[in-house]
């Protein structure tokens, strides 16, 4: 009798454990730009790299990895929050293989955008190629786990997309091609059409849990503020207004796709207001500097201009919102990731 009782409770325990395992996100799969690129650009021919000091000085072991920060990026913290692993590897990094990628992988490429013309500016991986890599990854995963387990694994995995700032700041505004073709609101619609089709393709490939990020207050990036000398290096409100308008259009698209695609869980994570809150109330978050970055003079340095030879780099990045003129510090990345995990991403827990 005691054996039967034990067996019953053991069976119940297994059912509970299996339910919890099924409810967990087994992997975080990432697409996008430098905000979520852990080092794919190291493996391609481009000037946009960050696999050298002082990048990565606060990462594990103080090693530069290709992340555009002094330490970890937001998706690393999200993976850790789900209890998976503390850092997501780059798909093109030869140090990793499918055993590592099965629990999280990033296809992102710094400098890329929704628009193919954006990736051409600095010869980085276009957004469509990230999808090609994803399909290749799926084949490897099925070979590793078997078809049925891999398909279930993919449907339960969280697919994260973070991209779009470069389309405006590296493409639309600096160069005349797109701005002569589209007024800015029509360009936003053009980009969101690409985003929507990308999500549809993910869905057709078996993804069911998807989070897409909106744009930050991109007019407040140090590089943009530096160009706004006539207005006291304040944030460029025109760019911020574009970001807000784009985010609203993206949210509308997310709502439509949730109606269109049966069984999908699609959410939009909006970093705009949390980052703006940090910029407007830095003391509340322990920051001292919001207008300039830690690396170099903090006004314009990024990538190779932000290197170990620059004598102006700050000693404590935790006092800064931005690490270089375009990218957040590890501390900022953690705050944004923590906010997303506790708000938008709760649906996946």
């Amino acid at each position: 009798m005691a054996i039967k009782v034990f067996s019953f409770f053991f069976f119940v325990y297994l059912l509970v454990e299996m339910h919890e395992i099924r409810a967990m996100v087994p992997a975080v799969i990432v697409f996008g730009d430098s905000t979520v690129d852990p080092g794919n650009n190291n493996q391609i021919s481009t000037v946009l790299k960050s696999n050298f000091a002082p990048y990565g000085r606060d990462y594990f072991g103080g090693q530069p990895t290709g992340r555009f920060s002094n330490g970890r990026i937001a998706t690393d913290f999200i993976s850790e929050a789900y209890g998976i692993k503390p850092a997501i590897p780059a798909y093109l990094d030869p140090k990793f293989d499918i055993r590592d990628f099965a629990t999280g992988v990033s296809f992102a490429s710094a400098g890329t955008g929704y628009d193919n013309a954006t990736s051409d500016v600095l010869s980085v991986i276009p957004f469509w190629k990230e999808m090609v890599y994803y399909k290749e990854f799926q084949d490897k995963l099925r070979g590793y786990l078997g078809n049925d387990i891999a398909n279930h694994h993919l449907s339960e995995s969280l697919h994260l997309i973070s991209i779009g700032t470069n389309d405006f700041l590296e493409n639309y505004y600096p160069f005349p091609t797109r701005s002569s073709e589209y007024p800015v609101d029509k360009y936003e619609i053009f980009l969101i059409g690409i985003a929507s089709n990308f999500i549809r393709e993910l869905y057709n490939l078996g993804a069911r849990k998807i989070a897409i990020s909106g744009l930050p207050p991109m007019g407040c990036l140090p590089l943009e503020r530096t160009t706004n000398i006539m207005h006291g290096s304040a944030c460029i409100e025109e760019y911020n207004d574009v970001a807000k308008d784009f985010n609203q259009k993206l949210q509308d698209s997310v709502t439509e796709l949730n109606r269109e695609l049966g069984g999908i869980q699609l959410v939009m994570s909006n970093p705009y207001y949390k980052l703006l809150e940090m910029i407007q109330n830095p003391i509340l978050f322990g920051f001292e500097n919001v207008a300039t970055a830690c690396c170099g003079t903090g006004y314009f340095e990024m990538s190779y201009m932000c290197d170990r030879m620059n004598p102006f780099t700050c000693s404590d990045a935790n006092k800064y919102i931005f690490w270089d003129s375009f990218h957040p510090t590890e501390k900022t990345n953690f705050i944004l990731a923590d906010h997303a995990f506790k708000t938008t991403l709760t649906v996946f827990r």
Side-chain angles (χ1 to χ4, degrees):
M1 181 66 182
I3 294 175
K4 289 183 178 180
V5 170
F6 173 79
S7 298
F8 171 76
F9 281 108
F10 182 69
F11 178 69
V12 171
Y13 170 78
L14 284 178
L15 287 178
V16 171
E17 286 293 294
M18 288 171 66
H19 173 76
E20 289 179 355
I21 290 170
R22 283 198 298 270
M24 288 289 287
V25 169
V28 177
I29 300 170
V30 185
F31 307 87
D33 56 22
S34 58
T35 56
V36 291
D37 179 3
N40 283 308
N41 275 20
N42 299 350
Q43 309 303 324
I44 64 174
S45 180
T46 176
V47 296
L48 193 59
K49 297 177 187 285
S50 59
N51 56 340
F52 46 83
Y55 285 98
R57 72 181 192 187
D58 298 309
Y59 191 75
F60 303 115
Q63 295 298 312
T65 60
R67 289 167 171 82
F68 278 79
S69 186
N70 59 302
R72 286 189 283 172
I73 52 181
T75 39
D76 294 325
F77 290 115
I78 289 171
S79 173
E80 186 173 60
Y82 278 112
I84 304 173
K85 55 188 177 186
I88 295 177
Y91 182 67
L92 297 183
D93 191 329
K95 297 194 300 293
F96 302 101
D97 59 27
I98 191 59
R99 292 170 295 181
D100 306 291
F101 301 148
T103 52
V105 61
S106 176
F107 306 99
S109 176
T112 201
Y114 290 114
D115 187 350
N116 288 338
T118 303
S119 61
D120 291 341
V121 174
L122 291 167
S123 300
V124 297
I125 300 166
F127 194 41
W128 63 264
K129 187 65 177 288
E130 294 185 28
M131 181 63 78
V132 172
Y133 288 141
Y134 176 63
K135 292 176 182 177
E136 183 179 273
F137 157 75
Q138 284 198 337
D139 290 341
K140 292 177 181 178
L141 189 70
R142 292 188 176 99
Y144 179 57
L145 296 178
N147 284 342
D148 292 343
I149 295 175
N151 290 340
H152 178 73
H153 187 86
L154 290 166
S155 69
E156 292 295 321
S157 296
L158 175 58
H159 295 67
L160 288 174
I161 304 167
S162 178
I163 194 171
T165 303
N166 296 321
D167 289 304
F168 295 96
L169 300 186
E170 288 186 13
N171 182 5
Y172 186 84
Y173 286 111
F175 299 105
T177 305
R178 288 306 193 201
S179 56
S180 63
E181 288 182 73
Y182 302 98
V184 70
D185 63 318
K186 293 296 191 294
Y187 188 60
E188 293 168 17
I189 293 169
F190 168 70
L191 298 179
I192 288 169
I194 296 171
S196 298
N197 287 334
F198 193 90
I199 290 168
R200 288 187 183 97
E201 187 162 7
L202 283 178
Y203 176 85
N204 289 334
L205 290 169
R208 290 297 180 269
K209 299 179 178 181
I210 305 173
I212 186 166
S213 178
L215 300 181
M218 56 190 183
C220 293
L221 300 180
L223 185 62
E224 306 312 317
R225 294 176 75 143
T226 298
T227 65
N228 201 23
I229 298 173
M230 296 298 291
H231 294 89
S233 296
C235 297
I236 300 177
E237 292 306 324
E238 177 189 353
Y239 293 176
N240 285 352
D241 289 343
V242 167
K244 286 187 287 187
D245 192 52
F246 178 89
N247 289 346
Q248 184 56 60
K249 288 184 173 70
L250 184 60
Q251 181 59 67
D252 293 343
S253 178
V254 164
T255 301
E256 291 173 9
L257 287 167
N258 273 308
R259 286 196 292 260
E260 174 188 330
L261 305 173
I264 197 172
Q265 288 181 290
L266 172 63
V267 298
M268 176 188 157
S269 177
N270 188 347
Y272 185 96
Y273 293 104
K274 192 64 181 180
L275 184 54
L276 190 64
E277 182 187 2
M278 285 187 259
I279 292 168
Q280 293 177 339
N281 302 284
I283 295 174
L284 295 178
F285 299 89
F287 293 116
E288 296 180 6
N289 198 308
V290 302
T292 58
C294 170
C295 194
T297 63
Y299 293 107
F300 61 88
E301 290 92 347
M302 181 176 62
S303 191
Y304 285 108
M305 288 188 289
C306 173
D307 62 22
R308 71 172 71 213
M309 302 303 293
N310 198 313
F312 299 106
T313 298
C314 76
S315 59
D316 186 2
N318 286 333
K319 296 178 180 178
Y320 288 73
I321 290 179
F322 296 100
W323 164 248
D324 64 19
S325 64
F326 215 79
H327 302 100
T329 57
E330 179 182 64
K331 179 178 175 179
T332 303
N333 283 326
F334 171 77
I335 294 170
L336 292 174
D338 185 64
H339 176 70
F341 184 75
K342 292 175 177 176
T343 55
T344 312
L345 301 181
T346 55
V347 66
F348 302 120
R349 286 195 277 153

